[in-house]
Amino acid sequence: MSNLVIKPKAINKENFKKFGDMITTDGIKPLEINDGYAKRYDGIANLDARKDNGDSIISIFSALKRSFPMKVDMMEKHPLGSQAFIPMKETTFLAFVAPEGDKPDLNKIEAFIIPNGIGVNYNAGIWHFPLIATEDMNFLVVDRKGEGDNLILHDLNKENITLEFQA
Ligand SMILES: NC(=O)N[C@@H](O)C(=O)O
Ligand code: NI
């Protein structure tokens, strides 16, 4: 039993890049389009769905808020594709992640606070806890559909891991 208490930190491009992409326009030079009525920010995340002839799919997750402190009884990974979460209204949500590997390395678990207007894209194979919303709301999700086992679960119930968060 690891008896871990994980406290999330503020996300930034640098501290999250080992897990994937921070979805933001910050730091990206836009293209002026639509006769000046829009700016286009290209390539803000690496959508990876092609392994084993996969396709990309856009879904909406209607999420229920989590309560904290939250017991983390499992983690999952999608070895064949990335998974992006984009809030459909301003909110704060959390990411609970660990690097790729046969199972989550409990010494390398990190949690992040994702602020208003920001999304995240997990690279293929990154261990994570499923979507952690702080309010009932919808998220746009872009990930992979197709053949092969793209959902690997790892039980952590016996490890007594807690995610703390103060809204
Ligand atoms: N199961 C599912 O589609 N959702 C999870 O992958 C998740 O990370 O929320
Ligand atoms: Ni997932």
Side-chain angles (χ1 to χ4, degrees):
M1 182 180 287
S2 58
N3 294 321
L4 277 180
V5 174
I6 305 288
K7 295 182 181 174
K9 53 181 166 288
I11 191 172
N12 61 56
K13 284 188 176 182
E14 196 54 36
N15 69 14
F16 192 74
K17 71 180 180 184
K18 57 181 165 299
F19 301 112
D21 310 288
M22 185 177 162
I23 294 178
T24 173
T25 57
D26 294 351
I28 295 183
K29 185 170 170 35
L31 298 172
E32 292 284 341
I33 59 170
N34 301 355
D35 198 22
Y37 283 92
K39 292 183 178 3
R40 182 183 167 125
Y41 294 80
D42 274 356
I44 57 174
N46 173 39
L47 171 54
D48 170 12
R50 288 189 298 270
K51 287 186 183 75
D52 293 2
N53 298 315
D55 284 314
S56 47
I57 181 173
I58 297 176
S59 311
I60 285 180
F61 283 21
S62 176
L64 296 179
K65 71 178 183 180
R66 304 277 185 165
S67 51
F68 302 95
M70 184 185 93
K71 178 176 170 72
V72 176
D73 59 2
M74 57 79 69
M75 291 180 84
E76 62 173 42
K77 66 176 180 179
H78 310 297
L80 303 177
S82 57
Q83 188 172 50
F85 296 93
I86 301 104
M88 296 185 77
K89 73 178 180 79
E90 293 218 326
T91 189
T92 296
F93 66 111
L94 303 180
F96 186 94
V97 289
E100 283 189 84
D102 291 341
K103 60 181 186 175
D105 181 340
L106 302 189
N107 298 311
K108 294 183 179 175
I109 286 174
E110 296 187 55
F112 296 90
I113 299 167
I114 303 139
N116 277 353
I118 305 292
V120 288
N121 179 51
Y122 298 146
N123 289 337
I126 291 297
W127 288 102
H128 57 281
F129 189 84
L131 178 55
I132 306 171
T134 63
E135 57 186 306
D136 298 356
M137 62 171 284
N138 286 352
F139 286 75
L140 196 73
V141 178
V142 184
D143 57 6
R144 176 193 180 276
K145 71 171 181 173
E147 299 300 312
D149 190 358
N150 195 32
L151 176 58
I152 310 292
L153 306 178
H154 185 84
D155 183 75
L156 294 172
N157 199 35
K158 294 191 174 78
E159 295 296 339
N160 190 26
I161 300 171
T162 303
L163 170 62
E164 287 191 349
F165 176 64
Q166 287 290 339

